[in-house]
Amino acid sequence: MDYFDGYVLGSGLLQMLLGFYFFSKFLHKKVKARFYFLFALCGLGILCFISAGRLAEFGAYVLLLTANGLFLWHADWKSVILYAALVVEVTQLCYGIVNSLSSVLYPLMSAFDQKFIGIAFMLLGELVSLLLISVCCHMACRYFSYYESVKKQYVFMVFIPILLIFFMDEMINSMVYSINVTDGSGMMTNMNHYQLLLIQLLGMASLFCVLLAYKKLLRNFRLSTELSLLEQEERSLNQYVEEAKARYEKTKSFRHDIKNHMAVLKRLLQRGQLEQALDYIGDMAEITEELSFPCSTNHPVVDILVGNKLGIAKNKGIDVHCSLLLPYPCGLRDMDVCVILSNALDNAIHACENMDEGAEKQIRVAGRTQGDFLFIEVENSFQGNRMFKKGTGLSNVKAVTEKYHGAMSVKTQDETFILNVLLIIPRHAERISQQMD
C-alpha cells in the first residue's frame, strides 16, 4: 500500500501525468499520448534515485518539466521556468492543504476501526489532493496562462514571489514535522493542525493574488503602451489635417486669382506672344502641382498621409508607386486607416533605408474595395534573411484588422516584403459605432 501511495498516487504516476498535462496547457501545447507515458517513466526513474527529501524531489520535478518545455516544445525559457515552478507550487500547496485537513479530521474518527480509517484517509486524501490540484491548475490556466500581453522581461516579477511561497511553505512543514513527536496511534502531538491548514490556505490565496496582480500589471503596461501609440497617431493625424488646411488655403487663393491669370493669358495670346504665354502656363502648372496630392485615393486624409510618406520615400531615393482607391465616406475610422498605412509605410521606408547603396529600392501601395471588403497591399524591397520580427508597427496593424474582423498576412518573395490587410467595412451605423467602441 505504501508503494502504491508513493509511486502511483502521491508523488508518483498520477501526479506526474496531471502536472505534465497542465504544464502543456499553460504553454498551449498539444501532447501525444506516448509522451505522457515517457514523462511518467522518466519522473518515476528520477524519484527512485533521489532520497534527499521533498525539496530535492520537487526540484527534480521542476527540472523535468523545464527540460520537456525547452527541448520537446522549444518554448520560451522564461515562460517554461515560470509555469514549471507554478505547477509544482500548486501541487505542493494542494497536498499540504489536504494533509492538514486530514490531520484535523482523523482524531474525530477514533470510534471506528483505525486500520480501515487509515487506509480510507490515505486513499481519499490522495484523490482529493489530485482533484484539488486539477481545480487550482485549471483556474490558473484559464485566467493566467500565456497572456498575449506577456512581457517576457517581467516574468521574474511573479517568479520570485512563487519561489518565496514555495520555500516558506517547505520550511514551515520541515520545522513542524521535525520538532513534533508522534503518539502511539501515529498522530503528531503538540501540533496545531488548524494553524497549519490556515497557513496552507493563505499560501494558495497568496499565490493567486500574485498571479492576479501580475495580470493586472501587464494589462496596465499594455494599456499604457496603446495610449502612447494612440497619442502619437493623433499627433500625426493633426499634422496631416493642418497640412490639408494649408493646401486648402493655397487652393482658395489660386481660385481667387484664376480670373486674373486667364486675363493675362488671353492678352498674351492676342498679342501673339506665344513663348511668354507658354512660360506663364508653365508657372501655373507648377503652382497647381504644389496644390495637388501625389497620390489620389479618393480619401482626403489618406491623400495627405500617403502623399507625405511617399514624398519622404522619394527624397530618400526610393521609387514609389500608388494605386490605392478607398471608399469615402465609409464605416472605417480615419484614425484606423491612418494607423494601418502609416505603420506599413514607415516599416517599408525603414527596410529600404537599410538596403545596400546600389540596391534597387521601391515601395508599392495598392488597394481596392469589393462589396463590404477592403483589401490593402504594401510591397517594399528589403535585404536579409526571410525571418523577420513582428514589431510594434505590425502589432498595431493587426490590432486594427481584428477590430474590423479582418485579417493580416505578411510574406517574403525573393527580396520583396509584402503586407496584405483585409478589412470588413461596416454598412450600418450600429455596426460602425460598435467598431468605434
Side-chain angles (χ1 to χ4, degrees), residues 5-254:
D5 175 54
Y7 290 94
V8 177
L9 287 177
S11 59
L13 183 61
L14 292 182
Q15 176 189 320
M16 292 286 182
L17 292 175
L18 192 62
F20 187 57
Y21 170 76
F22 281 106
F23 181 65
S24 64
K25 297 290 285 185
F26 276 117
L27 294 176
H28 289 185
K29 303 294 184 180
K30 293 183 178 180
V31 185
K32 296 181 179 179
R34 65 175 181 269
F35 289 109
Y36 285 99
F37 179 73
L38 292 175
F39 180 84
L41 288 180
C42 292
L44 289 175
I46 291 175
L47 294 177
C48 287
F49 292 100
I50 294 179
S51 58
R54 281 162 37 95
L55 191 60
E57 292 180 356
F58 280 123
Y61 190 21
V62 171
L63 290 177
L64 187 59
L65 289 174
T66 303
N68 278 271
L70 293 177
F71 301 111
L72 179 61
W73 300 317
H74 305 288
D76 178 77
W77 67 273
K78 294 181 180 179
S79 299
V80 167
I81 295 176
L82 172 63
Y83 293 129
L86 181 59
V87 168
V88 173
E89 174 62 9
V90 170
T91 300
Q92 181 194 35
L93 288 173
C94 288
Y95 271 98
I97 290 172
V98 174
N99 287 337
S100 298
L101 185 61
S102 299
S103 298
V104 171
L105 297 178
Y106 188 81
L108 303 178
M109 304 295 174
S110 58
F112 301 93
D113 181 32
Q114 294 301 303
K115 184 178 180 180
F116 173 78
I117 293 299
I119 296 175
F121 263 68
M122 182 187 68
L123 294 177
L124 288 177
E126 299 296 351
L127 293 176
V128 172
S129 297
L130 294 175
L131 179 61
L132 186 59
I133 292 172
S134 301
V135 172
C136 293
C137 285
H138 176 74
M139 292 176 59
C141 184
R142 180 176 180 180
Y143 295 105
F144 305 106
S145 70
Y146 219 77
Y147 334 115
E148 290 294 331
S149 59
V150 162
K151 303 294 185 184
K152 296 296 189 298
Q153 61 268 32
Y154 301 129
V155 163
F156 287 101
M157 294 178 62
V158 66
F159 180 70
I160 298 300
I162 289 177
L163 282 184
L164 176 62
I165 296 173
F166 175 82
F167 284 112
M168 288 295 293
D169 184 67
E170 181 63 25
M171 184 182 69
I172 291 173
N173 281 287
S174 300
M175 292 178 62
V176 167
Y177 286 100
S178 64
I179 64 176
N180 286 276
V181 296
T182 60
D183 55 18
S185 64
M187 292 299 297
M188 291 187 176
T189 60
N190 299 325
M191 178 186 296
N192 192 328
H193 295 290
Y194 292 97
Q195 290 183 354
L196 190 57
L197 175 60
L198 181 60
I199 290 174
Q200 303 284 356
L201 291 173
L202 289 177
M204 183 67 75
S206 299
L207 180 63
F208 277 92
C209 286
V210 168
L211 293 176
L212 180 61
Y214 180 57
K215 183 177 182 180
K216 288 186 177 295
L217 181 63
L218 292 179
R219 184 179 298 172
N220 289 336
F221 283 146
R222 185 195 65 189
L223 293 177
S224 177
T225 302
E226 291 179 354
L227 180 61
S228 176
L229 292 172
L230 287 175
E231 291 175 350
Q232 178 183 356
E233 297 295 342
E234 184 180 7
R235 288 194 296 269
S236 300
L237 184 58
N238 290 334
Q239 176 184 351
Y240 302 142
V241 171
E242 292 298 325
E243 183 178 344
K245 291 180 179 179
R247 287 179 180 269
Y248 175 77
E249 293 297 330
K250 291 181 180 180
T251 303
K252 183 179 179 181
S253 176
F254 180 78

Side-chain angles (χ1 to χ4, degrees), residues 185-376:
S185 64
M187 292 299 297
M188 291 187 176
T189 60
N190 299 325
M191 178 186 296
N192 192 328
H193 295 290
Y194 292 97
Q195 290 183 354
L196 190 57
L197 175 60
L198 181 60
I199 290 174
Q200 303 284 356
L201 291 173
L202 289 177
M204 183 67 75
S206 299
L207 180 63
F208 277 92
C209 286
V210 168
L211 293 176
L212 180 61
Y214 180 57
K215 183 177 182 180
K216 288 186 177 295
L217 181 63
L218 292 179
R219 184 179 298 172
N220 289 336
F221 283 146
R222 185 195 65 189
L223 293 177
S224 177
T225 302
E226 291 179 354
L227 180 61
S228 176
L229 292 172
L230 287 175
E231 291 175 350
Q232 178 183 356
E233 297 295 342
E234 184 180 7
R235 288 194 296 269
S236 300
L237 184 58
N238 290 334
Q239 176 184 351
Y240 302 142
V241 171
E242 292 298 325
E243 183 178 344
K245 291 180 179 179
R247 287 179 180 269
Y248 175 77
E249 293 297 330
K250 291 181 180 180
T251 303
K252 183 179 179 181
S253 176
F254 180 78
R255 291 177 59 186
H256 180 269
D257 296 333
I258 191 67
K259 291 183 179 179
N260 296 329
H261 294 313
M262 297 302 296
V264 171
L265 282 174
K266 182 178 180 180
R267 184 64 59 86
L268 291 174
L269 292 174
Q270 288 176 345
R271 293 179 178 180
Q273 299 175 333
L274 297 180
E275 292 185 2
Q276 291 84 347
L278 290 175
D279 291 339
Y280 199 87
I281 292 174
D283 294 337
M284 293 179 62
E286 292 181 1
I287 296 176
T288 56
E289 182 68 22
E290 294 179 358
L291 297 177
S292 63
F293 294 104
C295 180
S296 178
T297 66
N298 193 45
H299 195 296
V301 177
V302 175
D303 284 348
I304 299 171
L305 170 66
V306 176
N308 181 274
K309 297 295 183 182
L310 295 185
I312 294 175
K314 281 185 178 180
N315 293 334
K316 296 179 180 293
I318 303 173
D319 294 332
V320 298
H321 176 72
C322 179
S323 59
L324 179 64
L325 186 62
L326 301 176
Y328 187 81
C330 69
L332 303 175
R333 294 181 63 199
D334 295 345
M335 176 76 74
D336 294 331
V337 179
C338 288
V339 167
I340 293 175
L341 291 172
S342 63
N343 283 289
L345 292 174
D346 284 340
N347 288 345
I349 295 172
H350 181 70
C352 291
E353 285 180 322
N354 291 333
M355 297 179 67
D356 295 336
E357 188 66 28
E360 182 179 356
K361 307 175 183 180
Q362 61 179 355
I363 296 176
R364 187 181 73 88
V365 184
R368 64 184 184 276
T369 56
Q370 184 173 356
D372 293 339
F373 297 94
L374 170 62
F375 177 76
I376 299 175

Side-chain angles (χ1 to χ4, degrees), residues 375-404:
F375 177 76
I376 299 175
E377 183 177 74
V378 179
E379 295 184 6
N380 63 269
S381 306
F382 86 108
Q383 284 181 333
N385 54 35
R386 299 195 175 191
M387 298 298 294
F388 54 89
K389 181 179 180 180
K390 293 184 179 181
T392 304
L394 291 180
S395 298
N396 292 340
V397 174
K398 184 178 179 181
V400 174
T401 58
E402 291 176 349
K403 176 180 178 180
Y404 291 95

